[in-house]
Amino acid sequence: MNPRVPIPVVAALLEDVDGYFLLGRRPPTKALPMKWEFPGGKIEAGETPLEALARELKEELGIQVIPGKAWPVYLHDYEKVTVEMHPFTCHLAPGSPAPYTLEHVGLAWVRPEDLGKWDLAPADLPLIPLLQAAARPRP
């Protein structure tokens, strides 16, 4: 049995007013090169998940958000590391600039029903059916 301790991370399920979610594309020089992901990152020592969410989104996208629903926490085991995922739905805060690429090499707003068509990081895949089940009906 592997005694490694999971690394706590946050994932921002950033939703716009039309129900689309933001994906960021990882740079070719980082782990999981060129995969798409829900923005976020590690929860630092002494931080709450919501504090990490705010910090990571400011660092990665230059934005401020209003956190919403906290989704169930789950584990994902990569070969060399296990992550403890803390996903949160969130929306842009009034007065926040639009997201821009500070760490990603691309951004895309995606309808929930299309999330499965994107080459997402494996730890983000369990979120797809949850978001699709919770999606608002489209006219």
Side-chain angles (χ1 to χ4, degrees):
M1 182 134 148
N2 190 338
R4 78 178 139 201
V5 175
I7 297 171
V9 298
V10 291
L13 309 176
L14 182 61
E15 186 177 14
D16 72 5
V17 296
D18 295 318
Y20 287 60
F21 290 93
L22 185 70
L23 297 178
R25 194 162 199 194
R26 296 179 62 80
T29 56
K30 287 197 171 184
L32 305 171
M34 303 306 285
K35 291 274 190 187
W36 290 90
E37 67 180 356
F38 293 107
K42 292 180 187 172
I43 300 171
E44 301 294 341
E47 272 185 326
T48 67
L50 287 176
E51 290 168 341
L53 183 76
R55 178 186 51 76
E56 285 287 347
L57 294 179
K58 180 79 171 164
E59 291 173 2
E60 289 186 7
L61 301 169
I63 61 173
Q64 294 86 42
V65 297
I66 298 170
K69 179 179 179 170
W71 293 83
V73 174
Y74 63 92
L75 296 177
H76 179 81
D77 188 26
Y78 286 105
E79 285 184 23
K80 296 182 180 180
V81 66
T82 298
V83 295
E84 179 184 83
M85 183 73 79
H86 295 254
F88 292 90
T89 301
C90 53
H91 299 89
L92 282 177
S96 175
Y100 53 98
T101 56
L102 292 170
E103 293 188 12
H104 294 94
V105 296
L107 298 175
W109 289 99
V110 180
R111 297 183 319 181
E113 59 267 29
D114 293 334
L115 287 169
K117 299 174 184 174
W118 292 74
D119 186 20
L120 286 176
D124 289 340
L125 294 175
L127 295 167
I128 294 173
L130 299 176
L131 294 174
Q132 289 174 339
R136 325 174 220 178
R138 302 209 184 274

